Amino acid sequence: MKWAFIYTLDDPAEAERRDMVGSLVCVGIRSIEEAPAVACQLIEDGVELIELCGGFGGAGLGAVVTAVSGRVPVGAVFYGVDASRGLQRLFGSPEPGPHNSAPT
């Protein structure tokens, strides 16, 4: 089975990256918004399953699922609450917003 893992690149100026590891195609993209088109191209290239990195969140996953229209299964990595301290150490605290506002 040929499958793919799509992730976002650290540097959005970097060109898309594709690496093969056995039957796995690893695709680094500049932004989550590119993922639906990339996923459709991967299907055309014979991929039978797509996994998304944890940074895609629910909206990114939904966009890819919609784009592939059930042609292949699409899954995503999600982190549990127990990973929050490590994620904050790696990526810093999130910016205040409607779902993670700063205390008042």
Side-chain angles (χ1 to χ4, degrees):
M1 174 184 72
K2 186 176 180 182
W3 68 289
F5 181 74
I6 304 174
Y7 63 96
T8 53
L9 297 164
D10 289 335
D11 180 0
E14 189 178 342
E16 180 180 297
R17 177 181 176 142
R18 288 186 185 230
D19 297 292
M20 291 290 299
V21 181
S23 61
L24 167 63
V25 183
C26 294
V27 183
I29 58 176
R30 289 179 286 271
S31 71
I32 292 170
E33 292 76 23
E34 295 177 6
V38 168
C40 290
Q41 182 58 56
L42 287 165
I43 293 169
E44 295 299 317
D45 295 342
V47 164
E48 300 172 273
L49 180 138
I50 297 172
E51 185 79 17
L52 305 175
C53 79
F56 278 73
L61 172 61
V64 173
V65 167
T66 298
V68 304
S69 301
R71 292 178 285 169
V72 301
V74 178
V77 174
F78 285 94
Y79 297 98
V81 173
D82 58 322
S84 64
R85 185 169 296 179
L87 292 168
Q88 286 178 341
R89 185 178 63 251
L90 290 170
F91 301 110
S93 296
E95 293 294 321
H99 299 291
N100 55 356
S101 57
T104 55

